[in-house]
């Protein structure tokens, strides 16, 4: 049995084959090895903030207590809407944090999870970000020089393509394969005027087109069988989660009893057995 505070699964993708591991306390388990086996996850009801460690009755923004949620830059509204980043205005909640995580190169990408979508992430989060979204294909479009710029470019693309994954569709099977190189060329052709305007405002070096140096990445997930009906398991209402592990995709377990988003319960005290 493993015991400790829950956090999102660790991932790797050697040769595109996604491998998952779960860490509780000082122990880890390779989850791919447990496919087809009965597993059990118990949430004790104790929640500890992932930043300060204090006990909290409710988790905010996937693992934070309310005081941290209100004061940390990592929980500011601009994290979900990067085009609203206000670091340049001198009003960042934590300028040192912003310098480290926001004022560095980001990537704007296309991914195929429940269908075509656009997204942004820091360079050190690839390919983890794609895997956490359950993407079977992904391709970086641009490298930009900060988080705000990534949000401005993403906003242009959102006029033509979704920016969110339909998690229920993602868990019902793999989306039809797409030619992401073609989609990249098509979308840039539609949006080049807006991209040129951003470069004119912020400088030519603010956006680097990766068309000539990039590749489409493919990912295969450990799944024995996809559910025909996606039934969500609520760990707050039903703290004892049991079932045969049929698959893992994104940050979701697919059990024969339903699906559960492990990342949602970050900071929860949990025990895991198999």
């Amino acid at each position: 049995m493993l015991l400790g505070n829950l956090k999102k699964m660790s991932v790797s993708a050697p040769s595109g084959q996604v491998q998952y591991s779960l860490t509780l306390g000082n122990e880890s388990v390779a989850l791919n090895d447990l496919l087809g086996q009965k597993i059990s996850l118990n949430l004790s009801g104790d929640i500890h903030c992932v930043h300060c460690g204090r006990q909290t009755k409710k988790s905010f923004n996937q693992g934070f207590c309310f005081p941290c949620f209100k004061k940390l830059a990592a929980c500011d509204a601009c994290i979900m809407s990067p085009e609203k980043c206000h670091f340049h205005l001198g009003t960042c909640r934590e300028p040192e944090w912003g310098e480290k995580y926001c004022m560095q190169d980001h990537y704007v990408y296309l991914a195929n999870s429940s269908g075509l979508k656009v997204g942004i992430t820091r360079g050190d989060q690839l390919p983890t970000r794609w895997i956490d979204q359950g993407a079977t294909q992904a391709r970086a479009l641009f490298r930009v020089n900060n988080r705000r710029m990534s949000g401005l470019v993403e906003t242009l693309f959102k006029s033509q393509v979704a920016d969110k994954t339909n998690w229920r569709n993602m868990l019902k099977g793999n989306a039809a394969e797409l030619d992401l190189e073609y989609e990249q060329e098509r979308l840039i052709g539609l949006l080049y005027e807006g991209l040129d305007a951003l470069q004119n405002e912020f400088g030519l070096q603010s956006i680097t087109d990766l068309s000539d140096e990039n590749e489409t990445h493919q990912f295969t997930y450990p799944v024995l069988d996809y559910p025909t009906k996606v039934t969500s398991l609520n760990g707050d209402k039903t703290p004892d989660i049991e079932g045969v592990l049929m698959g893992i995709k994104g940050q979701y377990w697919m059990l024969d009893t339903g699906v559960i988003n492990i990342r949602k319960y970050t900071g929860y005290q949990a025990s895991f057995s198999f």
Side-chain angles (χ1 to χ4, degrees), residues 195-208:
L195 292 167
D196 284 347
L198 287 175
Q199 285 188 311
N200 288 335
E201 181 178 356
F202 296 99
L204 291 176
Q205 302 304 315
S206 62
I207 304 174
T208 301

Side-chain angles (χ1 to χ4, degrees), residues 250-268:
Q251 281 289 319
Y252 287 85
W253 290 353
M254 290 175 272
L255 308 174
D256 64 346
T257 53
V259 305
I260 181 171
N261 181 358
I262 295 301
R263 190 171 191 173
K264 178 180 178 181
Y265 301 99
T266 300
Y268 283 57

Side-chain angles (χ1 to χ4, degrees), residues 48-66:
H48 293 267
C49 176
V50 295
H51 179 75
C52 71
R54 69 161 58 94
Q55 191 167 5
T56 176
K57 292 182 179 180
K58 183 179 179 180
S59 172
F60 295 86
N61 199 31
Q62 296 180 336
F64 296 92
C65 65
F66 188 70

